[in-house]
Each structure stands twice: as structure tokens, then as C-alpha cells.
Amino acid sequence: MARIDPVEILAKVSEDNGKQRAFEVWQHKAVKAGWPVTVESESVDQPGPECGVVEIEGLRYTIRHEPRVRQRIAGAWEFTHAAWAEPVLS
């Protein structure tokens, strides 16, 4: 069975729910997709969009939470918050 790539996993989590919830929901979705997720660090209490770093099968990803997903709000399109993985390339 083919798994969706971790960078394609989006977890719609509102800004009000915070980075901790976004980090948890993204991890849950990744595990549900069949990925073994190991948390390397968390930064949910720090300013900025980064929630933490995870390792999946030898590759590292930064989990971010900021506007990323289009949503219609009051008749207009806006970007709303989501959590997603960004590869750590260095």
C-alpha cells in the first residue's frame, strides 16, 4: 500500500487551538497514514510557526503551524491555519 508523503499531510487546526494541538494532530495523521513518527524536539511554547522536529525513517521534518489552507469565510477566500511538515535539508 502506498503511503502519502509526510510533506503532503495537512492538519487543519485553527490558530485558536494552538501549536501544541497542531503538532499532536499532525503526528496523529502521519501515524494513521502508516509513518513511524519520532519526536526529536518540541517548540510549541516558543514564538513563531515552528511546532517541533520529528524523524520519520531517517529523515527529519519541521512541523509548522500557520496560514496555509484556503477557506471561504464570510463569502471571501482566506488562508487559515494548518500544520504541515517541511523537510530539514541541512
Side-chain angles (χ1 to χ4, degrees):
M1 181 174 110
R3 296 177 287 186
I4 185 171
D5 192 283
V7 299
E8 296 180 43
I9 297 171
L10 289 175
K12 291 183 183 179
V13 179
S14 77
E15 183 177 17
D16 296 337
N17 287 335
K19 291 178 11 179
Q20 178 69 47
R21 179 72 179 147
F23 196 47
E24 292 167 356
V25 171
W26 188 91
Q27 288 177 70
H28 172 77
K29 290 184 82 155
V31 169
K32 190 173 177 181
W35 295 106
V37 178
T38 301
V39 175
E40 285 193 3
S41 64
E42 289 188 39
S43 54
V44 294
D45 57 349
Q46 302 296 316
E50 292 83 13
C51 300
V53 175
V54 299
E55 184 269 328
I56 299 174
E57 296 182 346
L59 298 175
R60 297 173 66 226
Y61 299 85
T62 299
I63 309 304
R64 302 174 63 85
H65 182 237
E66 61 187 330
R68 169 84 180 216
V69 178
R70 284 173 27 119
Q71 184 174 359
R72 189 175 291 273
I73 300 174
W77 288 102
E78 295 184 22
F79 286 107
T80 60
H81 276 68
W84 75 93
E86 192 171 89
V88 175
L89 301 176
S90 57

